[in-house]
């Protein structure tokens, strides 16, 4: 449990930093993916909205992920709705974690500050649009969240020696409170 608290604190700090710097850069440059509503409408117009298929591992849904490059890992983490995840200001701050706290994914689904963080005892990865990630939100309301992300050539940090690693990371999520 202590490891989960430590990872949560790490991600909270990185989320706050990314959100503050992301808001400044978003106001200076146009968002190539639209305002979130357009992305959601475009993916819904494509038929079945196929992006969010990660649910299944937890009672409230889950995220499936794949990491490749200098570090490889894949898996599925259950959604943690109580106490950590919340919907506010048009998006989720959503946590997906093993009960042991060994691996954690944190998503911010607000279209203006979309972010995905992955962390465990070996690596920490922060992915934003500015670092090469794209997000597809097929559901993003108080009833739940679904979608996918893809990050290319994202920089991560080894938690054992502080060295940089370059990875591709992708995933799908489907969760509800």
């Amino acid at each position: 449990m202590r490891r989960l608290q430590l990872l949560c604190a790490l991600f909270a700090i990185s989320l706050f930093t990314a959100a503050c710097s992301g808001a400044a850069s978003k106001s200076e440059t146009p968002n190539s993916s639209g305002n979130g509503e357009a992305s959601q409408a475009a993916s819904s117009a494509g038929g079945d909205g196929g992006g969010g298929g990660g649910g299944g591992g937890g009672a409230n849904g889950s995220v499936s992920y794949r990491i490749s490059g200098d570090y490889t890992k894949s898996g599925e983490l259950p959604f943690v709705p109580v106490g950590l995840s919340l919907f506010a200001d048009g998006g989720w701050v959503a946590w997906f974690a093993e009960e042991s706290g060994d691996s954690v994914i944190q998503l911010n689904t607000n279209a203006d500050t979309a972010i995905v963080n992955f962390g465990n005892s070996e690596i920490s990865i922060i992915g934003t649009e500015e670092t090469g990630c794209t997000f597809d939100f097929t559901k993003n309301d108080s009833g739940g969240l679904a979608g996918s992300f893809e990050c290319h050539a994202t920089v991560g940090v080894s938690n054992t020696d502080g060295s940089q690693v370059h990875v591709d990371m992708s995933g799908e999520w489907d969760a509800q409170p």
Side-chain angles (χ1 to χ4, degrees):
M1 186 66 174
R2 180 163 167 73
R3 185 178 290 168
L4 178 60
Q5 291 172 336
L6 201 57
L7 285 171
C8 290
L10 171 70
F11 284 142
I13 292 168
S14 62
L15 175 63
F16 178 74
T17 303
C20 289
S21 65
S25 66
K26 291 284 186 186
S27 64
E28 296 169 8
T29 59
N31 182 354
S32 62
S33 66
N35 64 5
E37 294 172 352
S39 298
Q40 188 173 354
S43 64
S44 295
D48 65 1
N60 296 87
S62 63
V63 62
S64 297
Y65 66 93
R66 291 157 303 286
I67 302 169
S68 61
D70 293 341
Y71 177 83
T72 59
K73 186 164 180 76
S74 63
E76 184 173 9
L77 299 172
F79 180 54
V80 183
V82 179
L84 288 178
S85 301
L86 79 116
F87 180 79
D89 298 326
W92 281 89
V93 176
W95 292 87
F96 300 83
E98 297 172 330
E99 191 172 310
S100 65
D102 287 340
S103 293
V104 176
I105 288 183
Q106 183 271 320
L107 284 167
N108 179 344
T109 65
N110 185 300
D112 293 333
T113 57
I115 188 170
V116 58
N117 294 311
F118 175 86
N120 61 21
S121 61
E122 300 171 319
I123 193 168
S124 297
I125 303 167
I126 300 172
T128 65
E129 287 181 339
E130 288 82 13
T131 64
C133 297
T134 57
F135 297 87
D136 180 22
F137 305 119
T138 57
K139 180 175 182 165
N140 191 26
D141 58 33
S142 62
L145 61 155
S148 61
F149 65 88
E150 250 184 75
C151 302
H152 297 286
T154 301
V155 176
V157 177
S158 168
N159 292 333
T160 57
D161 64 11
S163 63
Q164 286 189 355
V165 295
H166 295 86
V167 298
D168 291 335
M169 180 170 65
S170 62
E172 302 83 31
W173 68 88
D174 189 356
Q176 61 282 333

